[in-house]
Each structure stands twice: as structure tokens, then as C-alpha cells.
Amino acid sequence: MSSRFLSLGRYLVQASLSFTLLIQPIPIFAEHENQASILDVSAYQENPYVDPEIWDDLSPYFLPEDHPIKEMLDDIFSNKKRVIQSKKSLKKAKFKIIREGKYRHPYVVSHPRLEGYLLKLYTDAQEYANKKEIRSVCRIFGAQLMQEALDRYGYNSLFKVPKKWIYPLPAEPSPPDKKKYCRRNFVLVVEDMEILNKEKNYDMWKSTAITTEKLDALYIIVNELGLCDSIVAFNIPFSSDGKIAFIDTEYFHRWPIKFYRLDHYLSLEMRGYWKQLILNQYHNNGVEPTP
């Protein structure tokens, strides 16, 4: 019997069990939001709306079932109403919108019960973002590559990278059966790097917080890993602990790097050093200089 039919069979068993519970005088969820669900929801249930091959490919990157926030995520998304349906439903579920999900870009949201973590997600209403959620794996790969490089070079005192996992959404409730909605099956869980706001971050990049040591290290990491998008201040912001965070980990191994994109974020002194660094690398290693 194929895995697709096995998956469907498990789903039908679950549905039958749910129906049985509904006709019994047993509350399925705790009355108070901060209490754990009465049902054991710790184990992931294969989603019948997800191709079994995709599920198997993504499952190694799932948030561990014993992770501290797993139970809270289960409780939040096992709501009677579809939490991820739209921006409005996210807000109703007490999510705070940190970054708007415009067109094909994901929302970045926080929740009072998920302290220390953020979610990157697409809502069902983002019809133009179809299949983009699968790229979460790229973000996880990128984060792992960056952390390995920071460990290898001993740069953890200068930079940091958030750990990332995929959280598979419960199969139900489903989004409305309308063309304008596209079912989302996964969200990305990300460690909160506590980054500074835009203005403070840009101020830090022009301040004495940027040293030749940091620029040397940044050049090595970005050039070695081909981090084409980690060369602008808003993708490598300062955090509250003074470290620079690599938050955009989706794109890697993409050369050549347009190093000049960092120029206008730097002070005049550090801009001169950065340009000379790139020029020296070109003469020594044949790396293409900035225009």
C-alpha cells in the first residue's frame, strides 16, 4: 500500500477519533490559554494535504517534538478557526506583525507565548506566494552553513545566526474553499535575534562599532559562502547584544558578490577601508573589485 493511502488512512482514523471525542462530555482543549491541551499533541501527524514525498523530505528539519515551544505552537494553531488564513486572523490570534507579508514576501510575526522566537510565514490569502514556503529548507541550510563558518573562524564574538526549523501546521482547520486562498502547510520557526530597529541599526553601521576587524571577518564569510544578500545593513543588522546577526539565510553559494552595496552604510573612514580591502583581494586572489 502506498504511503499516500497510509497517510489518508491515518487521517481517517484521526477524524473518527475526533468525532468520538466530540460526542463525549470531555473538553478537548483547556479553558485557559496558558494551560496545556488535554490531548497529547506532541507527535506530528502526517498531513493528508501534503505530498508524502515532500513530507518525508522536510521532516528532518521539523522543530523537535520535545522542543519547549512545540506544545504552545500546537495549542495556538489547533484552534477552531484558521489562524494563518489572513493578516486579520493572525492579529486575532494575538500575533504581532513585525514585518508585513507583501506580495511574495513572508510575514514575520511574534507571539506573547513564544518568547525568544519569531515565525516567518505566508498566509492562505497570499495567493502569489504559492510554494514559497518550501524554500524554508534553503533558509535552514544557509543558517547551518553560516554557523559552521563562524565556528571554524572563531567569529562568534562578532556575529550570530538564528537557528531555524520548520513547523508543520495541523491539517485542520482548513482555509475557506475559495480561489483566493492557498493552503499553507508549514511555517518557519526562528530564534529571535533581538535586532535593533532600522534607524538604530543604520546609526551603528556608521559608528565606531564597525571596525576593521569586523569588516575583514564579514568579507571572509560573505565571499566564502556566496552570501549575495548579506551585504546590506538591513540583512545583517546589529542586535541588542552588540553582535551583527545574519538574518537572511535563504541565498548562499551565489557569486559574484556585489561588495559595493555595503558602501553607503559605512562611515567615510570605514568606507575607504572597505574599498581598499576589496581592491587588495582582487589583486591577491582575483576577486572582482567593486565598480
Side-chain angles (χ1 to χ4, degrees):
M1 187 179 294
S2 71
S3 58
R4 186 184 298 275
F5 285 112
L6 286 172
S7 176
L8 180 59
R10 282 194 290 271
Y11 171 69
L12 292 174
V13 169
Q14 282 184 283
S16 176
L17 176 60
S18 298
F19 179 76
T20 302
L21 288 170
L22 283 173
I23 62 175
Q24 299 294 328
I26 302 174
I28 294 181
F29 296 103
E31 292 182 1
H32 300 291
E33 183 175 318
N34 291 329
Q35 290 180 303
S37 170
I38 290 177
L39 290 179
D40 179 12
V41 291
S42 61
Y44 291 118
Q45 301 297 317
E46 193 167 339
N47 190 329
Y49 299 103
V50 177
D51 185 294
E53 290 186 7
I54 292 178
W55 182 274
D56 290 342
D57 288 343
L58 297 183
S59 60
Y61 310 102
F62 286 175
L63 182 76
E65 292 179 350
D66 60 352
H67 194 281
I69 69 167
K70 165 68 166 57
E71 188 174 334
M72 288 176 275
L73 285 167
D74 290 341
D75 195 38
I76 291 169
F77 287 105
S78 296
N79 198 295
K80 291 182 179 179
K81 294 185 178 180
R82 180 81 169 171
V83 171
I84 203 170
Q85 180 175 320
S86 64
K87 177 181 177 180
K88 183 178 179 180
S89 63
L90 286 173
K91 287 186 172 182
K92 192 171 183 180
K94 300 183 180 180
F95 279 101
K96 178 183 177 181
I97 309 296
I98 296 175
R99 190 181 73 188
E100 290 281 348
K102 296 180 180 179
Y103 193 54
R104 296 183 180 179
H105 296 288
Y107 282 89
V108 178
V109 300
S110 63
H111 194 281
R113 296 182 63 190
L114 305 175
E115 186 176 356
Y117 298 89
L118 302 174
L119 301 184
K120 279 190 173 183
L121 55 85
Y122 295 96
T123 66
D124 300 322
Q126 288 178 271
E127 55 183 326
Y128 295 109
N130 193 23
K131 298 183 180 180
K132 289 281 285 185
E133 61 182 354
I134 302 300
R135 291 196 61 81
S136 293
V137 173
C138 295
R139 293 185 170 98
I140 294 172
F141 283 163
Q144 292 174 347
L145 281 173
M146 293 177 195
Q147 187 58 63
E148 185 279 329
L150 296 185
D151 293 341
R152 177 159 39 89
Y153 283 107
Y155 289 161
N156 286 302
S157 62
L158 304 176
F159 306 104
K160 61 181 180 178
V161 183
K163 292 180 181 177
K164 302 183 178 185
W165 306 269
I166 293 172
Y167 173 74
L169 294 167
E172 301 298 340
S174 291
D177 188 17
K178 297 179 181 179
K179 287 185 177 180
K180 69 175 183 177
Y181 293 108
C182 179
R183 175 187 289 274
R184 303 301 168 195
N185 297 304
F186 307 97
V187 301
L188 187 69
V189 180
V190 182
E191 286 183 323
D192 186 357
M193 295 284 95
E194 298 184 351
I195 63 174
L196 303 183
N197 63 38
K198 180 179 178 180
E199 291 74 19
K200 289 182 179 179
N201 177 47
Y202 285 5
D203 287 344
M204 288 291 285
W205 271 95
K206 286 189 180 293
S207 75
T208 55
I210 294 297
T211 62
T212 57
E213 178 191 16
K214 283 191 175 78
L215 292 181
D216 287 344
L218 178 65
Y219 181 92
I220 289 172
I221 297 296
V222 170
N223 187 57
E224 179 178 306
L225 300 182
L227 307 180
C228 63
D229 270 359
S230 295
I231 200 66
V232 285
F234 53 83
N235 280 341
I236 41 175
F238 272 87
S239 301
S240 59
D241 61 5
K243 294 182 182 181
I244 295 173
F246 287 93
I247 60 171
D248 190 341
T249 63
E250 182 176 1
Y251 298 104
F252 51 88
H253 291 175
R254 294 196 177 192
W255 297 277
I257 305 298
K258 297 178 180 179
F259 292 105
Y260 65 87
R261 295 175 68 194
L262 187 64
D263 289 0
H264 70 277
Y265 296 107
L266 302 172
S267 67
L268 287 175
E269 180 183 1
M270 289 298 101
R271 191 180 307 168
Y273 181 83
W274 182 246
K275 289 183 177 181
Q276 190 59 50
L277 172 64
I278 297 166
L279 190 61
N280 290 343
Q281 290 297 325
Y282 171 66
H283 289 312
N284 295 334
N285 304 312
V287 177
E288 189 69 25
T290 60

